[in-house]
Amino acid sequence: MGCDRRVSARLTDCVCKRLQNHRVLPHSVAMSDEPDVSALSFEDALRELEGIVSRLETGQEDLQTAIDLYARGDLLRGQCAARLDAAQARIEAIRVDAEGRASTQPFDAK
C-alpha cells in the first residue's frame, strides 16, 4: 500500500535525522507499558501511530526514545495494514450480485 510506504519513510527519516545529530540521552520512555498492538482497533493504532510520527518529526526526542518510538510505530503500521487487509478480505467475501449470488470480484479501493 502507498500509505504504508509513506508512513515507513516518515518514521525512517525521523530516526535517521536523530542518528545524524548523535544526541544520546538517558532512556526516558517505558515502551513496555504500551498496550499490545494486536489488541488495538484500527482507529486506535492509527491514532497512536500519528502521535508517534508527530513526536519524531519534532526532533526533540533523545536517540533511544526515537528508536523505541520507531519500533513501536513500525508495529502499529503493521497492525493497521493487517486490519485494512482483513477489512478488504471481508468486503470481497460478502459481495453479492442483484440476484443474491456470491461474486468474487476483487476489492478496488480507488
Side-chain angles (χ1 to χ4, degrees), residues 77-91:
R77 182 206 49 79
Q79 175 66 3
C80 288
R83 295 280 184 177
L84 288 174
D85 289 345
Q88 179 177 337
R90 286 185 62 205
I91 291 169

Side-chain angles (χ1 to χ4, degrees), residues 42-100:
F42 172 80
E43 293 80 7
D44 290 340
L46 184 59
R47 192 175 305 113
E48 185 178 342
L49 179 57
E50 288 170 343
I52 286 172
V53 170
S54 294
R55 284 179 65 185
L56 289 172
E57 286 180 335
T58 68
Q60 298 300 310
E61 302 296 338
D62 63 78
L63 179 61
Q64 185 60 52
T65 301
I67 291 169
D68 290 345
L69 287 168
Y70 177 86
R72 176 77 177 173
D74 192 48
L75 291 173
L76 291 163
R77 182 206 49 79
Q79 175 66 3
C80 288
R83 295 280 184 177
L84 288 174
D85 289 345
Q88 179 177 337
R90 286 185 62 205
I91 291 169
E92 289 174 354
I94 61 174
R95 282 205 179 152
V96 290
D97 63 18
E99 295 160 5

